[in-house]
Amino acid sequence: MIASNFSAVAKATVYEIDVYKTLQKCLELRDSYVFREEVAPWEKEVTIDPSTPKPNPNPFSYTPEEKTEHYFQMVNGVVHVYTDEDCKERIYPMADATTFFTDLHYILGVIVAGNIRTVCHNRLNLLEHKFKFHLMLNADKEFLAQKSAPHRDFYNVRKVDTHVHHLACMNQKHLLRFIKSKLRKEHDEVVVFRNGTYMTLKEVFESLDLTGYDLNVDCK
């Protein structure tokens, strides 16, 4: 009994290791297509307080860039960029179309694999529960830290809810009063284009054989 349980655990471990190797290969494929600068943006300039924005004396100024001698050429469905027309060395070396579609088909095969989907689903559930556990322990501390921040950012800026439903703007009585007021004061205003002609609000009601006195909350 113990030997059979140990064998099941061992098989599950080997099964997961194969999945992890496949996922690692997908990450390596992703790294081969991601462009990274030689010097990271956050390492180009040292700032004392990164959270403090630098003042811009003229934010609306624009200096047009001069035309460069870069040369673009389409090769088997992939655009190659060169420093000039005589240069033969590409600035951004990219994979050819055959390599790209081969990698794409491999990734699509990984996505539909049942064992990989199961492992990924379990992993995401684990990370979600770990995050919820982190919130249970540290949510109040993070909230106090955000309130004590001396500057404004996305997390402690004052927010305004502009999510307004049209149903909440007026009730039936107010809407009926608004329609009657428009019909009485602005009945000559063009409101619709029907059958090739523009019609005023008064003409629309006449076409429906209605008047302002016929309107009520039960009229449909």
Side-chain angles (χ1 to χ4, degrees), residues 12-52:
T13 303
V14 173
Y15 155 82
E16 291 181 352
I17 289 176
D18 293 337
V19 172
Y20 294 148
K21 288 181 178 179
T22 304
L23 294 176
Q24 183 64 35
K25 183 177 179 180
C26 293
L27 293 176
E28 293 174 356
L29 287 176
R30 177 184 180 275
D31 290 336
S32 64
Y33 286 94
V34 174
F35 170 75
R36 291 185 175 86
E37 300 182 12
E38 296 181 357
V39 180
W42 54 86
E43 295 179 355
K44 290 183 179 180
E45 185 176 0
V46 179
T47 56
I48 299 176
D49 187 5
S51 61
T52 304

Side-chain angles (χ1 to χ4, degrees), residues 119-164:
V119 172
C120 292
H121 177 73
N122 294 335
R123 177 65 176 173
L124 291 175
N125 284 335
L126 174 62
L127 294 176
E128 182 180 6
H129 285 82
K130 288 177 65 177
F131 179 71
K132 290 181 178 179
F133 184 64
H134 162 73
L135 289 181
M136 292 175 59
L137 295 177
N138 304 313
D140 295 336
K141 297 179 182 178
E142 291 185 355
F143 179 72
L144 294 176
Q146 292 174 5
K147 290 186 63 176
S148 61
H151 61 278
R152 289 287 177 186
D153 56 17
F154 178 80
Y155 297 99
N156 60 6
V157 69
R158 292 183 178 89
K159 302 176 180 62
V160 179
D161 186 8
T162 58
H163 183 200
V164 180

Side-chain angles (χ1 to χ4, degrees), residues 2 9 13 18 21 25 38 43 74 82 88 95 99 106 140 145 160-161 169-170 172 191 202-203 218-219:
I2 297 177
V9 173
T13 303
D18 293 337
K21 288 181 178 179
K25 183 177 179 180
E38 296 181 357
E43 295 179 355
M74 181 73 71
Y82 305 94
K88 300 300 182 183
T99 304
Y106 177 80
D140 295 336
V160 179
D161 186 8
C169 294
M170 60 180 69
Q172 290 179 326
V191 295
K202 181 180 179 180
E203 293 172 344
D218 298 323
C219 181

Side-chain angles (χ1 to χ4, degrees), residues 71-85:
Y71 178 70
F72 301 89
Q73 183 179 9
M74 181 73 71
V75 179
N76 295 329
V78 180
V79 178
H80 293 186
V81 184
Y82 305 94
T83 54
D84 52 48
E85 191 171 356

